Amino acid sequence: MGIGSQIGMLAAMALSVFVIGGLWYSKLLFGARWCAYAGIDMDKPQGHPARVFGISLLFSALAAIGFVFVFGQPASLHLSVHNGLMVGFFFVFTSFGINYQFANRPWPMLLIDGGYHLLQFATYGLIVGLWPH
């Protein structure tokens, strides 16, 4: 795969997080419940939007780079999505679970945040698996 194609794939992976998160944390799905658990007013911005989105994009890109670095492009779409689900659950979800227990956060909040990251990494696997070699 050429460098341009790799950059395109990584960009698609990093930006997919915003599409998923925009829906996941919207009023339509889990946003209102998450804000209630977090004690945040959903209608008041938290921090400067350019900073929040810029840093989030950076972290999303780093996660995408790390995913591709560890797994490359597996031989099948199934394996690639499987890798994403394994990372999302066994590394991210469980790490959040540890932190949430010590922070005494409610289980539904863990399910919302953990579910989002499980979907994030499954989507990373889907993008990598579908991207032309």
Side-chain angles (χ1 to χ4, degrees):
M1 172 185 335
I3 189 75
S5 183
Q6 269 189 324
I7 290 171
M9 181 180 68
L10 292 169
M13 292 168 73
L15 292 172
S16 72
V17 174
F18 287 88
V19 174
I20 295 166
L23 182 59
W24 194 262
Y25 290 101
S26 72
K27 290 180 182 178
L28 182 65
L29 290 180
F30 305 110
R33 280 183 261 172
W34 186 90
C35 286
Y37 292 126
I40 294 172
D41 182 347
M42 188 171 202
D43 296 318
K44 286 187 178 177
Q46 304 295 309
H48 191 278
R51 183 186 63 78
V52 170
F53 283 97
I55 292 172
S56 296
L57 181 60
L58 173 64
F59 284 136
S60 299
L62 290 172
I65 290 166
F67 187 84
V68 171
F69 180 78
V70 170
F71 296 109
Q73 278 197 298
S76 72
L77 175 62
H78 177 268
L79 180 58
S80 189
V81 172
H82 179 265
N83 290 343
L85 289 169
M86 295 299 103
V87 168
F89 183 76
F90 288 108
F91 294 100
V92 180
F93 188 93
T94 57
S95 295
F96 269 65
I98 293 165
N99 290 351
Y100 279 32
Q101 293 315 294
F102 282 99
N104 200 30
R105 290 188 177 161
W107 279 97
M109 193 175 187
L110 170 63
L111 295 175
I112 293 169
D113 286 334
Y116 164 72
H117 289 291
L118 182 65
L119 188 56
Q120 169 194 357
F121 281 96
T123 302
Y124 280 5
L126 181 67
I127 292 169
V128 169
L130 291 173
W131 205 265
H133 289 81

